[in-house]
């Protein structure tokens, strides 16, 4: 029988699992606390804005130089099927066409992913293969913004 973890335990796990990642590449403890405290019975959608590095910056040696876009492709090769396995889906993935209203922002890729609930999002970040691939995302991204929406 699976024991339900409380929000604090989940946040502790996430901070431990992703502690080696650059702090601007992963959610903070407060951000995880907020997201995992959202209603459990509501879908959650994440709108991701990505700007790639010209050349990926891996924190460890052993990787041939590649573009940020190529490094992100390595991450996507694992993250997309893992997301589908946990019940999530992408509503849109594509290059940014620029701002329509408001301040102009320069992004390379916009990805909108929907999850059945916050537990599914936690399941994605808990998945061992996903955790192993996350460093490709960190290496790839010059900057990012992720906005969460609930229904």
């Amino acid at each position: 029988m699976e024991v339900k973890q409380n929000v604090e335990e989940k946040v502790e796990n996430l901070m431990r699992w992703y502690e080696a990642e650059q702090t601007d590449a992963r959610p903070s403890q407060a951000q995880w606390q907020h997201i995992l405290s959202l209603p459990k019975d509501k879908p959650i959608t994440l709108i991701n804005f990505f700007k790639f590095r010209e050349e990926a910056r891996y924190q460890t040696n052993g990787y041939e130089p590649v573009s940020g876009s190529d490094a992100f492709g390595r991450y996507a090769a694992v993250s997309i099927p893992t997301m589908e396995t946990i019940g999530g889906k992408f509503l849109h993935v594509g290059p940014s066409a620029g701002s329509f209203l408001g301040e102009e922002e320069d992004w390379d890729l916009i990805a909108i992913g929907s999850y059945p609930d916050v537990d599914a999002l936690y399941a994605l970040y808990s998945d061992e293969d996903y955790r192993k691939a996350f460093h490709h995302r960190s290496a790839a991204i010059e900057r990012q913004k992720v906005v969460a929406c609930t229904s």
Side-chain angles (χ1 to χ4, degrees):
M1 180 159 98
E2 182 182 331
V3 176
K4 296 271 186 188
Q5 292 179 307
N6 65 33
V7 170
E8 290 77 23
E9 290 173 315
K10 289 178 179 180
V11 171
E12 285 177 28
N13 287 339
L14 291 160
M15 298 310 294
R16 184 178 69 252
W17 292 331
Y18 292 92
E19 69 185 345
E21 300 300 329
Q22 301 164 31
T23 55
D24 59 346
R26 58 176 165 82
S28 70
Q29 185 169 350
Q31 289 166 326
W32 272 123
Q33 184 78 33
H34 171 72
I35 291 297
L36 294 177
S37 296
L38 292 172
K40 303 285 186 225
D41 60 343
K42 303 260 186 213
I44 183 166
T45 299
L46 300 182
I47 306 169
N48 300 264
F49 300 81
F50 297 111
K51 181 69 178 175
F52 298 129
R53 291 188 170 108
E54 195 169 311
E55 184 175 305
R57 275 193 221 144
Y58 285 98
Q59 293 183 351
T60 58
N61 295 330
Y63 289 96
E64 295 291 323
V66 297
S67 69
S69 179
D70 287 344
F72 194 81
R74 293 172 178 171
Y75 161 76
V78 174
S79 67
I80 291 171
T82 305
M83 182 182 181
E84 292 169 352
T85 298
I86 58 92
K89 63 182 174 185
F90 279 102
L91 307 176
H92 173 80
V93 177
S96 173
S99 297
F100 181 58
L101 282 171
E103 186 178 322
E104 184 63 36
E105 296 185 39
D106 179 30
W107 300 106
D108 293 321
L109 182 74
I110 310 295
I112 304 172
S114 182
Y115 303 84
D117 52 40
V118 295
D119 287 337
L121 180 61
Y122 178 75
L124 174 69
Y125 275 80
S126 300
D127 183 87
E128 187 175 349
D129 290 333
Y130 180 85
R131 294 191 331 241
K132 288 178 183 175
F134 195 86
H135 73 284
H136 295 299
R137 177 179 171 154
S138 297
I141 301 303
E142 179 180 310
R143 62 187 166 82
Q144 64 184 327
K145 176 169 71 173
V146 181
V147 178
C149 306
T150 58
S151 58

